[in-house]
Each structure stands twice: as C-alpha cells, then as structure tokens.
Amino acid sequence: MTSGLWELVLKGVWTTVQLLVCSALLAGAVSFVVGIARTHRLWIVRFLAGFYTEVFRGTSALIMIFWVYFVLPLSFGWQLVPLWAGTLALGLTYGAYGSEIVRGALNSVDPAQKEGGIALSFTPWQRLRLILLPQAVPEMIPSFSNLLIELLKGTALVSIIGMGDLAFSGNLVRLALQESAEIYTYLLVIYFVIAFLLTRVMRGLEKKLKSGVGKAPAGGVSAHELKRAETTGVGASSSGGVLG
C-alpha cells in the first residue's frame, strides 16, 4: 500500500480507539448505575433497572445505531455526529450487559459481610462503598474484559453510518486496491493487536485490585467501629472479606 492509504488506515485506527474509549466509559457508568439499582431495596427501582436491561439486551446493536442516528433527528429535531451516535448506541447497549455483571458480583458477596455492615450501623451507601464494591469489583474484571473485547468488535458496526473507523477505512482501501485478502488480513491483525493489549491491561488491573482485597480501607472505617466489630464478633466471615 502507498503511504497515503496507510495514513487512511491509521486514521481509522485512531477513530476506532476514540469510539472504544468513549463508549466503554458510558457503558461502564451505565453498568454500575443500573447494576446497583437492580439490587436496590425498593421494588420500583429494581423494576425500572430490569426493564432497561431487558430492552437493550433484547435489541440489536446495529438497529440501535440506526435508530439513534436516523430516528432521533426526526423525533427531536437534532442530529448527532457519527462518533456520538455510535457512542450512545454502543454504550447503552453494552451497558445493559455490564449491569448484569455488576448485579451478579454484588449478589455473590458473602451475606455475613452485609449483615456486619448493618450491625455496625452503616448506611446503605457506606455498606456499598466500604464492603460490597471492594469485594465485588475484582470479580467483575474478567467478565468486563470479555465485554470490552466484544465492544471493540462492535465498533465496526458504525461503519454503516459512514463513520471513518477502521472497518470503514479498510473498505475504502480495498476498493482502491481491489485486494480483499490482503486488506482484510491487515484489519484482522490490527483488531487482534488492540484486543490483546486490552486483555493485558485488564489482567493487570485485576491483579492489582485483588491484591487489596482483605485489607482494611485506609480511613474508611474508624477504630471505634472496628473495636465494636471485634467485641461483638460481628463481621467475621470467610477469607478475604473486608470485615473478615
């Protein structure tokens, strides 16, 4: 390929990375908000969170991109640029899958840990922040890593709305050179390299988070509260617990 065509491919890589980062941030925020809401004590909150999850898990990401890019302008009178349309569609769709990861990890925490927080008169927010999330988040990382790779591959869908991502740029180069095998092989290798780097980063993050499980949070719980837990025997649980 000529330098000009390689430059086109590199621009596509940069666009794909931008879309991946933006949609992953949105999906992550949606995952935690909806996932935590699905464990809320109020049934209406759980119902609304569950309704959102079922709707976005049950619809096609491709059709969602079409809907955000083509239907929203007709309904509300404003047009999103392709990057933000793709970010919104992919972030909301994959956030629905991520919310189930969060919900499952929170529910997997030993019930004795939750009971210990209640006995210490922790508020629901304190129990979530100091007890549940520190234990649940490390268990979410492998599943989130898989979801991130799926999101990377899903970014290729935005090429249908004319966004100059890696897939779109690669197709333009293929049309220019009439060399399908060579170009699509290059694209496969590029997607693999990005996915491999993401996997390495997520594994490093998992190790770092798991190394802190079981350690007392700095400044999170007062000495008086810990003394109460030791005196009453509250918070003793299986290995690795925050209150263990």
Side-chain angles (χ1 to χ4, degrees), residues 12-244:
V13 173
W14 173 237
T15 301
T16 293
V17 170
Q18 285 181 294
L19 177 61
L20 175 65
V21 171
C22 293
S23 55
L25 290 175
L26 177 59
V30 170
S31 296
F32 277 92
V33 171
V34 178
I36 292 171
R38 295 207 66 188
T39 65
H40 200 275
R41 63 182 183 277
L42 297 178
W43 73 269
I44 185 63
V45 177
R46 296 195 304 270
F47 172 79
L48 292 176
F51 179 76
Y52 166 85
T53 301
E54 294 303 323
V55 168
F56 280 88
R57 283 197 311 173
T59 54
S60 166
L62 178 63
I63 303 303
M64 187 59 65
I65 292 173
F66 277 136
W67 196 90
V68 171
Y69 192 68
F70 294 111
V71 177
L72 277 183
L74 299 177
S75 303
F76 300 97
W78 43 269
Q79 176 76 58
L80 290 174
V81 298
L83 175 62
W84 297 122
T87 296
L88 183 61
L90 294 175
L92 293 178
T93 299
Y94 285 87
Y97 291 98
S99 68
E100 283 296 281
I101 297 174
V102 174
R103 181 190 64 82
L106 289 175
N107 287 337
S108 69
V109 176
D110 191 338
Q113 299 288 310
K114 305 174 187 178
E115 295 167 2
I118 295 173
L120 289 172
S121 300
F122 284 1
T123 65
W125 167 244
Q126 287 176 319
R127 293 198 299 272
L128 178 67
R129 181 173 62 89
L130 300 175
I131 301 175
L132 299 181
L133 285 179
Q135 297 178 74
V137 169
E139 303 304 321
M140 302 176 193
I141 299 301
S143 297
F144 270 131
S145 179
N146 290 333
L147 190 62
L148 186 60
I149 301 304
E150 289 297 321
L151 177 57
L152 169 64
K153 294 184 286 186
T155 58
L157 296 174
V158 300
S159 61
I160 61 174
I161 58 176
M163 185 175 172
D165 71 313
L166 179 57
F168 185 84
S169 301
N171 190 51
L172 291 180
V173 174
R174 181 190 67 84
L175 293 174
L177 297 179
Q178 296 297 311
E179 290 287 345
S180 298
E182 179 184 359
I183 300 306
Y184 285 131
T185 300
Y186 286 146
L187 295 186
L188 287 175
V189 171
I190 293 172
Y191 275 113
F192 171 77
V193 170
I194 298 174
F196 182 79
L197 293 176
L198 290 175
T199 302
R200 296 294 101 186
V201 170
M202 294 299 285
R203 286 186 180 177
L205 179 61
E206 180 185 3
K207 290 180 180 179
K208 182 177 181 180
L209 290 175
K210 284 189 174 181
S211 66
V213 173
K215 298 179 180 179
V221 182
S222 67
H224 175 67
E225 290 168 334
L226 290 176
K227 184 176 180 180
R228 285 175 55 195
E230 294 172 356
T231 303
T232 59
V234 173
S237 70
S238 58
S239 61
V242 171
L243 292 178

